[in-house]
């Protein structure tokens, strides 16, 4: 009922009552005049706008967003084409969200005129609406480049001449400048309140400024490496001379938030288990100092998400589904060893012989704690029970493998008369839905509350959209680009210390590759990776369409990452031998991964749709779209 009332209010406020088609005052619905005199009703309109802000890699959205760039494979057959026809379409990541922008502009107009509201409330609501508008513009500029900057609600006058509604694209840096200036203008009208997650705050405005300035700085700096990705009017591309200024703004905004001390890294479970602590960052909604801005879910109130339903381990599922997203070996091996070195998982020795591990988890030991806070690896637990991930048996005597084609299948091992389970209930089984086909399941965002994995109730955990660790990484990257490598190392060490690293990085350790990898592992599946690769102008290098082998971890631009790989564990059958019951591992390329990702120059900025171009001749197309 509350949802219905909200819809009625939004409709009336944003669309209605400009025409005198009603002769009598309605008695069963709220009029526009009534709404704009009541603080709680205006807030209802604002809540509706918050509920529609764009979120890339939404935990209740399209899983295509998560499997791009090969940080994950999807076990659902509907997604296999993502790994077979792998040239990204030019309109991938396209958006043109002016319907929502118009509603926000209309809200700002009406709230500005709402004299009946208390001034303090009116200022705060206006600031929140401007934050939402800045968020929408950021989402558009990172996908499309410069877009028309429209800050008032446009209305067609039915004159037959729409030209006054036709705005040209702004320069790309003008959109970033707009966002930065808006966040500066509104931050003082927003509260400093770390308990407020789903609404704009002083901290959220500063953090969005930090993010926007960092994007603009890197496009200015690294855009020089892709000169064809530009337009003569700077609708796409930012002059290199502006890079330093943007990095300075990104660093200053990040420092402002860091030195204020209102937010902090989440450490409640750090002394118990650093991996559990990292997983809890995304689940603990009680006085969590790391959350700056989030999309709120309340399952009991009807706003829920299907993340757990779709990703829970098959053997522990509350439904007849799960295991959709399988993190790739490419991502998993990007988590460093605790001595600050990168290393592929050791599966064979120098002579090509398998390496035997006593326990299935041993191969993952002494790695960055964020690994097992992000990914469910073989042998780890979910909801207190161990996941059942093993691909089969390695028959040592014949150097052969025995496996199955369905969940937890039983067969006879050589020389035995009683059948044995020869594959895990969670797989991995190539081509079998719900299993951990890469050898891994998702842990990030996985709510362990009973019912979160049921279709009837689904999950209610919030999705963090801005968190404190990102701000620290923004500061580190900006400092690095300003050649303040000692400062950059200090910021990276703040984040890495929580992940279990005890050897601090120094200025000499700071490289572009290290900055990139740190964001890759800390912010995995949080909506950053695709657009980070774009702003650094390295996506076309890493995803060149050629079928690649598994790249070396920590090496960013010297090898390509066009295909996702898997790591499969096997139990060892060696009766009466010393290796019996141990484990070996194999790197595997799944049968449904048949082609290498091909990111073209035209993918840096998405194709503007034909209907937009035909409706407005002032809009020019993005470069490299043919």
């Amino acid at each position: 009922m509350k949802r219905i009332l909200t819809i009625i209010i939004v409709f009336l406020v944003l669309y209605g009552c400009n025409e005198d088609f009603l002769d009598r005052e309605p008695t069963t619905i709220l009029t526009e005049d009534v709404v704009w005199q009541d603080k709680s009703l205006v807030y209802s309109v604002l809540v509706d706008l918050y509920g529609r802000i764009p979120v890339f890699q939404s935990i209740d959205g399209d899983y295509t967003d998560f499997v791009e760039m090969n940080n994950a494979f999807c076990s659902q057959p509907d997604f296999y084409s993502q790994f077979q026809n792998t040239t990204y379409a030019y309109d991938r990541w396209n958006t043109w969200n002016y319907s929502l922008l118009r509603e926000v502009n209309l809200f700002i107009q009406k709230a500005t005129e709402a004299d009946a509201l208390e001034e303090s409330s009116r200022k705060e609501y206006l600031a929140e609406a401007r934050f939402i508008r800045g968020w929408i513009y950021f989402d558009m500029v990172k996908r499309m480049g410069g877009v028309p900057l429209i800050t008032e609600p446009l209305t067609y006058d039915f004159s037959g001449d729409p030209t006054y509604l036709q705005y040209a694209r702004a320069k790309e840096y003008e959109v970033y400048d707009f966002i930065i200036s808006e966040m500066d203008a509104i931050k003082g009208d927003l509260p400093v309140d770390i308990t407020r997650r789903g609404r704009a705050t002083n901290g959220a405005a500063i953090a969005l400024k930090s993010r926007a300035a960092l994007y603009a700085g890197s496009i200015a700096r690294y855009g020089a490496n892709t000169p064809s990705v530009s337009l003569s009017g700077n609708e796409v591309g930012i002059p290199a001379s502006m890079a330093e200024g943007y990095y300075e703004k990104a660093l200053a905004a990040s420092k402002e938030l860091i030195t204020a001390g209102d937010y902090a890294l989440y450490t409640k479970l750090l002394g118990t288990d650093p991996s559990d602590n990292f997983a809890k960052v995304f689940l603990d909604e009680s006085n969590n100092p790391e959350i700056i801005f989030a999309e709120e879910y309340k399952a009991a109130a009807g706003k829920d998400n299907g993340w757990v339903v779709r990703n829970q381990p098959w053997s522990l599922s509350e439904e007849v589904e799960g295991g959709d997203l399988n993190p790739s070996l490419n991502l998993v091996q990007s988590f460093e060893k605790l001595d600050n070195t990168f290393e592929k998982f050791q599966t064979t020795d120098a002579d090509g012989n398998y390496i035997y591990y006593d326990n299935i988890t041993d191969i993952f030991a002494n790695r960055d704690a964020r690994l097992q806070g992000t990914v469910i690896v073989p042998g780890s637990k979910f909801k207190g029970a161990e996941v059942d991930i093993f691909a089969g048996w390695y028959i040592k005597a014949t150097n052969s493998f025995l496996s199955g084609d369905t969940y937890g299948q039983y067969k006879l091992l050589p020389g035995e008369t009683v059948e044995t389970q020869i594959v895990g209930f969670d797989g991995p089984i190539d081509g079998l839905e719900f299993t951990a086909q890469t050898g891994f399941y998702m842990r990030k965002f996985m709510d362990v509350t009973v019912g979160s994995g049921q279709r009837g109730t689904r999950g209610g955990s919030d999705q963090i959209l801005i968190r404190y660790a990102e701000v620290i990484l923004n500061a580190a990257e900006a400092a690095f680009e300003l050649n303040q490598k000692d400062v950059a190392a200090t910021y990276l060490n703040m984040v890495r210390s929580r992940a279990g690293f005890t050897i601090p990085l120094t200025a000499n350790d700071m490289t572009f590759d290290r900055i990139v990898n740190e964001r890759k592992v800390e912010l995995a599946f949080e909506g950053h990776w695709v657009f980070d690769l774009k702003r650094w102008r390295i996506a076309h290098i890493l995803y060149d369409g050629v079928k690649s082998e598994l790249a070396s971890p920590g090496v960013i631009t010297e090898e390509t990452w066009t295909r996702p790989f898997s790591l499969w564990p096997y139990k060892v059958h060696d009766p009466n031998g010393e290796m019996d019951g141990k484990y070996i591992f194999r790197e595997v390329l799944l049968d449904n991964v048949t082609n290498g990702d091909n990111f073209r120059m035209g993918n840096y900025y998405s194709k503007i749709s034909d209907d937009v171009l035909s409706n407005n001749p002032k809009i020019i197309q993005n470069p490299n779209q043919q």
Side-chain angles (χ1 to χ4, degrees):
M1 188 62 193
K2 185 176 179 181
R3 174 69 175 168
I4 294 172
L5 177 61
T6 299
I7 293 171
I8 292 173
I9 293 169
V10 171
F11 181 82
L12 288 171
V13 170
L14 298 181
Y15 296 105
C17 302
N18 288 326
E19 303 292 339
D20 296 324
F21 63 93
L22 294 176
D23 296 326
R24 293 181 298 175
E25 290 293 328
T27 58
T28 57
I29 59 177
L30 298 168
T31 66
E32 181 180 354
D33 289 342
V34 170
V35 170
W36 287 104
Q37 295 179 47
D38 187 294
K39 176 181 173 180
S40 60
L41 294 178
V42 174
Y43 175 60
S44 296
V45 179
L46 197 59
V47 167
D48 178 77
L49 297 176
Y50 274 121
R52 288 187 285 157
I53 63 170
V55 176
F56 183 73
Q57 290 191 337
S58 167
I59 60 174
D60 199 39
D62 183 357
Y63 279 12
T64 303
D65 294 345
F66 287 92
V67 301
E68 288 168 336
M69 310 300 186
N70 297 327
N71 276 348
F73 177 83
C74 190
S75 78
Q76 189 182 129
D78 291 347
F79 287 83
Y80 291 163
S81 61
Q82 294 289 316
F83 309 95
Q84 297 165 354
N85 303 309
T86 51
T87 296
Y88 291 105
Y90 285 130
D91 62 355
R92 183 72 188 110
W93 307 294
N94 168 288
T95 187
W96 204 259
N97 206 352
Y98 281 93
S99 58
L100 179 56
L101 267 176
R102 184 181 185 279
E103 293 182 34
V104 177
N105 282 333
L106 198 52
F107 180 96
I108 292 171
Q109 181 190 70
K110 292 183 178 296
T112 303
E113 298 167 352
D115 296 334
L117 287 179
E118 293 177 1
E119 181 59 17
S120 58
S121 297
R122 195 162 66 95
K123 285 178 64 177
E124 185 175 341
Y125 289 158
L126 278 170
E128 289 186 73
R130 290 168 72 181
F131 175 84
I132 293 171
R133 184 171 62 186
W135 183 276
I136 297 168
Y137 268 118
F138 180 75
D139 184 69
M140 288 209 292
V141 72
K142 73 181 182 183
R143 296 167 184 258
M144 310 302 294
V147 293
L149 270 174
I150 300 173
T151 58
E152 59 182 357
L154 303 181
T155 302
Y156 182 51
D157 61 8
F158 297 96
S159 66
D161 178 11
T163 55
Y164 69 98
L165 299 174
Q166 294 169 341
Y167 283 61
R169 299 177 64 179
K171 295 177 173 58
E172 187 172 12
Y173 67 78
E174 289 176 335
V175 181
Y176 281 110
D177 286 349
F178 174 75
I179 298 165
I180 291 167
S181 65
E182 281 288 278
M183 296 306 108
D184 278 338
I186 65 173
K187 67 181 182 182
D189 293 335
L190 292 168
V192 177
D193 183 356
I194 68 165
T195 66
R196 191 159 104 165
R197 303 185 301 272
R199 298 172 61 186
T201 59
N202 172 274
I206 297 169
L208 183 55
K209 175 187 174 182
S210 163
R211 185 187 289 182
L214 186 70
Y215 269 60
S218 49
I219 291 167
R221 175 146 298 166
Y222 295 104
N225 297 333
T226 54
S228 70
V229 185
S230 62
L231 290 172
S232 60
N234 285 331
E235 295 88 354
V236 164
I238 298 176
S241 59
M242 301 178 73
E244 189 158 318
Y246 282 122
Y247 283 129
E248 288 173 349
K249 289 178 181 177
L251 181 57
S254 303
K255 280 184 174 178
E256 180 180 355
L257 205 58
I258 293 168
T259 56
D262 301 314
Y263 296 92
L265 294 175
Y266 180 91
T267 58
K268 290 182 184 178
L269 300 178
L270 192 58
T272 306
D273 186 324
S275 293
D276 282 347
N277 181 77
F278 189 69
K280 279 285 190 181
V281 169
F282 308 93
L283 301 174
D284 188 347
E285 297 169 3
S286 176
N287 296 318
N288 184 335
E290 187 157 344
I291 303 174
I292 297 177
F293 183 56
E295 180 174 12
E296 292 186 304
Y297 287 91
K298 301 291 180 190
K303 185 175 183 186
D304 46 47
N305 66 70
W307 182 259
V308 179
V309 175
R310 296 181 63 180
N311 288 303
Q312 58 198 324
W314 173 251
S315 66
L316 304 170
S317 177
E318 295 182 78
E319 282 289 354
V320 189
E321 64 176 305
D324 271 359
L325 287 173
N326 303 163
S328 67
L329 176 57
N330 313 47
L331 172 68
V332 170
Q333 68 172 12
S334 296
F335 291 87
E336 290 170 65
K337 297 175 68 177
L338 290 176
D339 61 2
N340 297 344
T341 62
F342 293 94
E343 185 179 83
K344 286 186 177 182
F345 291 103
Q346 299 300 301
T347 58
T348 57
D349 61 22
D351 297 323
N353 302 309
Y354 287 114
I355 295 174
Y356 295 87
Y357 291 90
D358 291 339
N359 301 294
I360 196 169
T361 56
D362 287 353
I363 196 171
F364 307 106
N366 299 315
R367 292 257 174 180
D368 184 334
R370 291 171 293 190
L371 167 56
Q372 296 196 46
T374 304
V375 175
I376 293 175
V377 304
S380 60
K381 293 183 177 180
F382 179 69
K383 293 183 177 179
E386 186 173 321
V387 296
D388 191 25
I389 298 175
F390 72 98
W393 286 83
Y394 171 60
I395 313 302
K396 187 173 184 296
T398 57
N399 190 29
S400 60
F401 292 89
L402 178 66
S403 188
D405 55 12
T406 192
Y407 319 96
Q409 192 171 4
Y410 279 66
K411 290 183 181 176
L412 285 174
L413 286 167
E416 298 189 6
T417 56
V418 178
E419 289 188 338
T420 299
Q421 184 185 342
I422 48 88
V423 65
F425 280 92
D426 294 307
I429 300 171
D430 199 348
L432 186 62
E433 187 176 9
F434 309 136
T435 68
Q437 292 193 42
T438 62
F440 308 104
Y441 281 134
M442 293 289 307
R443 186 176 187 191
K444 189 173 273 191
F445 315 125
M446 291 296 290
D447 186 358
V448 297
T449 305
V450 174
S452 62
Q454 296 176 19
R455 293 171 185 161
T457 50
R458 307 212 309 163
S461 292
D462 296 346
Q463 181 172 8
I464 302 175
L465 304 180
I466 305 176
R467 62 186 175 96
Y468 185 62
E470 182 211 337
V471 175
I472 296 173
L473 294 183
N474 292 350
E477 183 179 341
F480 172 79
E481 295 291 352
L482 292 168
N483 203 29
Q484 299 175 27
K485 294 184 179 179
D486 54 337
V487 177
T490 298
Y491 285 127
L492 278 199
N493 287 330
M494 289 171 62
V495 175
R496 291 167 61 84
S497 176
R498 180 176 65 171
F501 292 95
T502 57
I503 307 171
L505 298 177
T506 68
N508 291 334
D509 297 316
M510 297 310 302
T511 62
F512 175 77
D513 286 7
R514 173 118 11 222
I515 293 288
V516 171
N517 196 79
E518 202 66 37
R519 287 184 70 92
K520 180 180 183 180
V521 298
E522 174 71 33
L523 304 175
F525 306 119
E526 297 181 51
H528 297 277
W529 186 236
V530 169
F531 297 100
D532 278 348
L533 296 176
K534 286 186 171 195
R535 66 184 174 86
W536 291 321
R537 297 293 194 262
I538 57 177
H540 70 288
I541 300 171
L542 299 177
Y543 305 93
D544 61 1
V546 178
K547 297 177 183 178
S548 65
E549 299 304 318
L550 182 63
S552 303
V555 176
I556 302 303
T557 56
E558 295 180 11
E559 300 177 36
T560 57
W561 305 349
T562 62
R563 300 188 294 182
F565 285 80
S566 307
L567 185 67
W568 285 10
Y570 290 83
K571 295 182 179 179
V572 176
H573 181 69
D574 183 28
N576 304 317
E578 60 180 4
M579 299 304 173
D580 193 52
K582 294 190 176 186
Y583 292 88
I584 66 160
F585 291 81
R586 296 171 68 199
E587 292 178 7
V588 174
L589 184 66
L590 298 173
D591 287 347
N592 284 301
V593 179
T594 57
N595 279 312
D597 282 7
N598 185 20
F599 184 100
R600 299 171 290 178
M601 289 295 184
N603 294 127
Y604 277 108
Y605 294 93
S606 298
K607 182 179 182 179
I608 298 173
S609 61
D610 291 341
D611 62 325
V612 171
L613 296 175
S614 62
N615 288 332
N616 184 355
K618 294 180 181 176
I619 300 295
I620 58 174
Q621 183 58 275
N622 275 329
N624 309 307
Q625 297 301 311
Q626 294 181 346

